[in-house]
Amino acid sequence: LYLAGALVDQFVTDANGVVDFTVSGVSTETLPTADFRVGAPWPNPAAGVTRIPVSLDAAARVEAHLFDLLGRRVAMLEHDLSAGSHVLEIDAAGLARGLYLVSLAKPGSPPRTASFVVAGRVADSAGGMEIASLAWSESAQVEHPAPEPVAWVDGTATVLIPPAHAAKGPAAGEYELRASAPGHLDGTFYVDVRQTTSAVIRLFPGFVNAAGSQMLEVPPGVFVMGSNVNGHVEYPAHPVAITRPFWLGRYEVRAEEYRAVTGKVPLNMDAWGNRAAGLSWLEGIAFLNELSVREGLARCYTPLGVPEMDLLQCPGYRYPTEAEWEYALRAGTTTRYFFGDRSIDLPLYARFVVSSSSTPSEYTVQPVGALLPNPWGFHDILGNAGEFVEDLYGRTAYLDAGAWEDPRGEATGTNRVQRGGPISSQYDAADARSSYRASKSPTNRDSRNGMRIARSVPTSAPSNRPPDAPTAPSPADGSTVPPGFPLWAEASDPDGDPLQVAVLLYDQAGQLVVETDLPSAGWPTTSLTAGRTYRWRLAVHDGRRITLGPEWSVSMSQRDPAPFETLANASGIEMTHLPAGRFVMGADFGHSSHRPAREVTLTRPFWISIFEIRAGDFYPLASPTSTVNPTDFRLPVTGASRQNIARLANAVSAAEGLDPCYDASGTLLGNPYECRGYRLPTEAEWEYAARAGTTTNYSFGDDLSVAPEYAWYSPVSGGNAHPTGVLKPNPWGLYDMHGNAAEIVQDWYDPEYYGSAPEVDPVGPQTGSQGLARGGSFAATLGYATSYLRLITSGAAGIRLVRSDF
């Protein structure tokens, strides 16, 4: 046992190579003096060269003595160092695998110590890593040599398993096969040699720290953070660059680790010491600081959690930033969960309660590591304990495009962000998603609160250079172009790296949308509104760094002519004028509620909105009394109540000096055809507009192979709404009449209504308990999106406005 390079005590191993000892009579080392600081060796474990950061306030001669675990001096290094920061390199080539101690000293200061592990050797000049060991789990029944690896690529070993009872094979049975490699944590694979002929073992780069925590190394990269469809606090989805590698705990901090480091008992300390520790954010600070001191590293925080230095530069243990956490969780994925979009698979990877009727025992966090990991090897990163991160909680950090490289979150605030969702959430709840964020007080102590520790990997300045700022916009700044004209600019990278592009678009109200991961610097403006001006800029990245370009403006002229007159009304909503006419409504097959098909005459022409009402139209006008999705201003509004729809329609009417069609409660005032203001379409008006003179099941005909050109429906929609106006319109120039948002109509539902409905200007039942929506939706299959099908709704759906023409 060595302290500061001096021998304190020595021990002898037992037959199994295990040492058990008690440390006594050893005084704690004084904290390093301010003029001489030594950081953590890296990489650690080392395979080749290990580097140790050293900082001096004045020039000095520094001696570095290298000792093996038995206290034998292996080498001595001397350096004359100037004031400032330096990196001492120790050649680990030729050293046996194991732990080594380095004692660094300068005149007038006590020695500083650092330890590192030599993990193995580089196998070939191509940089491939050789497996250092591959063995069956220890068992008296296994006396055969281990199988040989046949491939070792990108951290994955492929192994041939000899048949049971073969000359080099184990006896029949189930075994754990364990592989080791330089700079990696061991990988395991469970095999039944009676059934398995090969195994693929994944090894992850990392090390085991002084608390026994497995730390995985996460490389730098760019990912898409947040969500466009799950609320304001996750909006917008945007590219984020993690420019520095970092280590992150493979598991949530266990109760036994917390007690061993701090000497204090977390909430989940019981017979199951392997459970995730229940603690507050501030209690986590104590753990991080104590663990840093235990390894001779600088503490990253004051006891109250105030950073002592730039956290990404701190050599000690810290919370991960929210961006680092989500980057590690997603592990290169962009889906709802890191394993895909199917919530039915959640129980394989994450612990949540099954239903609201679950017993209290199901709300208790469980031992870590029992379920499958994410693609980068992290266990329980969804579910089990909700995990605190470094960032303060707020709603604006995602909007700061200038902070998308290594973002640090909100500048001010009280609560901290918690990610991953606690076990008390239900399966398929919002809490389980990769982008979910929660707000927690830093003093909130709960058995379902947990943490995952992080540490910066010391590196020199990255050699990768950021992309050049985009130039030469097209159209030129301040131009007016028709909707659909592409936005693009010239973009290049000084290193010649391929670029990905994100378009940042701001509407007249300053709302932002981000279109991410475009393969080139160009984006069509199909979904933008004619007659409006937008500001735009590009963010380009090369997979490591992000460059934000200058801001330009573009105005949208009128859209290509439709069959009938079009205009943008005083509220900026694009409308088209439909003439009075006669059409066949309903169908003589299928559900009884739309039978019989009959001829219907509409005697009054009307104006109808060309697009489903967008969030960008709704929010400035309606001031909804409750949250209405979505946040992207190009997406159709969904979930608006009849009362909120009435508020919108009356506001649009007031902008043109027209009498309202609804009272304050959302009740229609009289006959809809006689109202001069804006309102919902009657069911007859909607189907007349949807059919657009056709008699087929859909306005585009009955050839379903062309449906994706006209409609967003499941599964082509991906389960999400899409910006309006992107697909082809129907013959009368109306977009998204099939799919996307289900559109609520004025009529109430009566399954017998068609049997006795009038053939001229039908208005449907004036009251009822069930509303009607038409056109299908992004969440339903194509069969629900026909021109005639009637859908029952609770009263909340998408919106298309009309106005009678007098």
Side-chain angles (χ1 to χ4, degrees):
L1 177 66
Y2 283 80
L3 177 64
L7 182 64
V8 175
D9 207 345
Q10 54 189 344
F11 311 91
V12 179
T13 65
D14 63 15
N16 295 318
V18 175
V19 179
D20 292 309
F21 59 87
T22 301
V23 177
S24 60
V26 178
S27 62
T28 58
E29 186 179 6
T30 59
L31 292 175
T33 56
D35 63 340
F36 181 34
R37 295 170 295 279
V38 176
W42 55 276
N44 189 3
V49 174
T50 189
R51 299 170 175 84
I52 302 176
V54 175
S55 297
L56 296 99
D57 289 350
R61 186 171 185 80
V62 174
E63 292 184 356
H65 297 265
L66 178 64
F67 298 88
D68 67 13
L69 190 57
L70 298 180
R72 297 172 296 192
R73 190 169 68 179
V74 178
M76 185 183 81
L77 306 172
E78 292 183 323
H79 294 275
D80 288 315
L81 303 179
S82 60
S85 297
H86 305 272
V87 175
L88 300 184
E89 293 189 352
I90 296 178
D91 187 359
L95 296 180
R97 287 167 56 99
L99 178 70
Y100 290 83
L101 300 171
V102 180
S103 173
L104 298 105
K106 81 175 190 67
S109 295
R112 310 282 176 257
T113 58
S115 64
F116 67 94
V117 175
V118 174
R121 59 194 182 280
V122 176
D124 54 55
S125 59
M129 301 300 291
E130 179 181 297
I131 290 185
S133 66
L134 184 63
W136 303 106
S137 58
E138 292 186 11
S139 170
Q141 288 75 36
V142 179
E143 299 178 354
H144 301 281
E148 293 295 328
V150 296
W152 171 241
V153 180
D154 294 332
T156 301
T158 302
V159 181
L160 296 180
I161 306 298
H165 303 296
K168 291 187 177 182
E174 296 182 355
Y175 297 93
E176 177 191 75
L177 187 61
R178 182 177 296 273
S180 300
H184 292 70
L185 295 173
D186 287 355
T188 58
F189 190 87
Y190 295 91
V191 297
D192 185 334
V193 296
R194 294 165 295 191
Q195 303 175 3
T196 307
T197 59
S198 65
V200 176
I201 306 176
R202 181 75 186 272
L203 285 79
F204 296 94
F207 69 100
V208 179
N209 68 12
S213 306
Q214 296 187 28
M215 304 293 293
L216 300 183
E217 184 173 331
V218 181
V222 174
F223 75 110
V224 177
M225 185 175 184
S227 169
N228 284 346
V229 294
N230 290 300
H232 294 274
V233 297
E234 301 171 22
Y235 180 84
H238 58 288
V240 164
I242 303 297
T243 66
R244 309 158 186 256
F246 62 98
W247 288 302
L248 188 68
R250 189 173 200 167
Y251 307 103
E252 296 163 330
V253 170
R254 297 171 295 161
E256 59 192 13
E257 292 174 319
Y258 184 85
R259 185 174 68 170
V261 170
T262 66
K264 297 179 181 178
V265 178
L267 289 177
N268 294 332
M269 175 52 70
D270 54 16
W272 293 92
N274 193 42
R275 290 186 194 271
L279 40 79
S280 69
W281 187 87
L282 280 176
E283 286 177 313
I285 291 293
F287 176 82
L288 295 166
N289 282 346
E290 289 294 330
L291 183 56
S292 296
V293 171
R294 174 172 292 204
E295 296 191 12
L297 306 172
R299 292 177 296 188
C300 295
Y301 302 95
T302 69
L304 293 180
V306 178
E308 296 269 21
M309 64 188 81
D310 179 353
L311 287 178
L312 298 189
Q313 300 283 354
C314 180
Y317 288 90
R318 58 177 174 82
Y319 280 110
T321 67
E322 186 177 13
E324 287 173 332
W325 189 95
E326 187 170 331
Y327 175 58
L329 162 74
R330 288 188 179 275
T333 66
T334 58
T335 47
R336 183 178 177 87
Y337 316 101
F338 60 74
F339 50 82
D341 289 314
R342 295 176 7 131
S343 60
I344 194 174
D345 294 328
L346 265 171
L348 298 174
Y349 301 89
R351 293 190 186 276
F352 293 100
V353 298
V354 177
S355 70
S356 57
S357 60
S358 298
T359 61
S361 63
E362 294 183 82
Y363 288 77
T364 304
V365 296
Q366 299 299 307
V368 303
L371 302 180
L372 294 176
N374 82 345
W376 286 357
F378 295 102
H379 290 262
D380 303 299
I381 201 162
L382 288 179
N384 211 21
E387 299 178 16
F388 282 115
V389 295
E390 172 61 32
D391 299 35
L392 292 165
Y393 183 82
R395 296 169 178 258
T396 62
Y398 286 20
L399 300 173
D400 183 3
W404 289 353
E405 274 200 4
D406 298 319
R408 313 297 179 89
E410 303 287 336
T412 59
T414 302
N415 285 1
R416 296 287 170 171
V417 175
Q418 191 179 80
R419 300 296 300 259
I423 194 171
S424 53
S425 305
Q426 291 184 42
Y427 280 114
D428 205 18
D431 307 38
R433 293 176 290 99
S434 296
S435 58
Y436 175 75
R437 313 172 72 216
S439 172
K440 286 280 186 177
S441 166
T443 59
N444 179 273
R445 193 170 189 249
D446 190 292
S447 63
R448 292 161 294 185
N449 292 344
M451 66 182 299
R452 191 179 299 264
I453 60 177
R455 227 183 100 189
S456 297
V457 175
T459 59
S460 56
S463 58
N464 173 268
R465 292 175 292 176
D468 297 325
T471 60
S474 176
D477 185 27
S479 297
T480 299
V481 296
F485 192 95
L487 305 178
W488 65 276
E490 294 181 1
S492 61
D493 185 82
D495 301 319
D497 297 328
L499 296 178
Q500 292 285 99
V501 179
V503 173
L504 287 67
L505 192 75
Y506 303 84
D507 73 354
Q508 296 176 123
Q511 291 178 288
L512 168 69
V513 296
V514 182
E515 199 76 34
T516 61
D517 288 341
L518 302 176
S520 62
W523 179 75
T525 55
T526 311
S527 62
L528 302 187
T529 301
R532 293 188 179 178
T533 298
Y534 298 86
R535 294 177 293 122
W536 66 287
R537 61 200 312 189
L538 298 182
V540 293
H541 71 79
D542 60 0
R544 294 283 295 273
R545 302 289 302 277
I546 292 177
T547 297
L548 186 65
E551 188 175 282
W552 301 300
S553 69
V554 63
S555 299
M556 297 291 110
S557 63
Q558 290 300 314
R559 200 171 296 274
D560 291 337
F564 305 109
E565 180 185 1
T566 62
L567 58 80
N569 67 16
S571 300
I573 299 173
E574 295 180 70
M575 311 287 292
T576 190
H577 185 270
L578 300 187
R582 177 180 296 178
F583 73 108
V584 176
M585 185 174 182
D588 284 325
F589 49 84
H591 197 274
S592 61
S593 70
H594 57 246
R595 291 189 283 173
R598 68 196 197 283
E599 279 198 348
V600 169
T601 299
L602 295 175
T603 63
R604 190 177 298 284
F606 60 97
W607 293 89
I608 185 169
S609 55
I610 294 174
F611 305 101
E612 296 167 325
I613 297 300
R614 303 160 170 169
D617 301 317
F618 186 90
Y619 286 105
L621 296 170
S623 300
T625 55
S626 59
T627 301
V628 177
N629 288 329
T631 44
D632 184 334
F633 66 74
R634 302 166 303 160
L635 295 180
V637 167
T638 57
S641 66
R642 281 185 176 259
Q643 183 179 12
N644 279 326
I645 293 172
R647 292 164 65 92
L648 170 70
N650 287 350
V652 177
S653 299
E656 298 181 26
L658 302 173
D659 292 336
C661 293
Y662 299 95
D663 65 16
S665 67
T667 301
L668 183 69
L669 300 171
N671 187 310
Y673 300 108
E674 300 301 321
C675 177
R676 294 180 177 271
Y678 287 84
R679 55 179 172 81
L680 288 170
T682 65
E683 190 177 12
E685 286 172 323
W686 189 95
E687 187 167 331
Y688 175 63
R691 288 188 177 277
T694 67
T695 58
T696 49
N697 290 334
Y698 306 89
S699 63
F700 53 80
D702 291 323
D703 180 3
L704 302 188
S705 66
V706 301
E709 300 177 30
Y710 295 87
W712 294 114
Y713 58 92
S714 179
V716 300
S717 67
N720 295 317
H722 288 260
T724 61
V726 173
L727 303 181
K728 294 179 179 179
N730 77 356
W732 285 356
L734 301 175
Y735 292 82
D736 300 299
M737 293 298 289
H738 305 290
N740 221 9
E743 299 177 18
I744 193 169
V745 294
Q746 183 60 51
D747 306 34
W748 293 90
Y749 179 69
D750 178 354
E752 308 296 331
Y753 177 68
Y754 276 27
S756 59
E759 295 181 355
V760 177
D761 294 333
V763 296
Q766 296 300 292
T767 59
S769 59
Q770 294 176 308
L772 268 173
R774 302 295 297 265
S777 78
F778 61 84
T781 56
L782 185 60
Y784 288 90
T786 61
S787 297
Y788 57 81
L789 193 67
R790 312 171 78 205
L791 305 172
I792 301 173
T793 176
S794 61
I799 311 164
R800 195 179 295 265
L801 293 182
V802 301
R803 177 173 67 83
S804 296
D805 186 18
F806 290 87

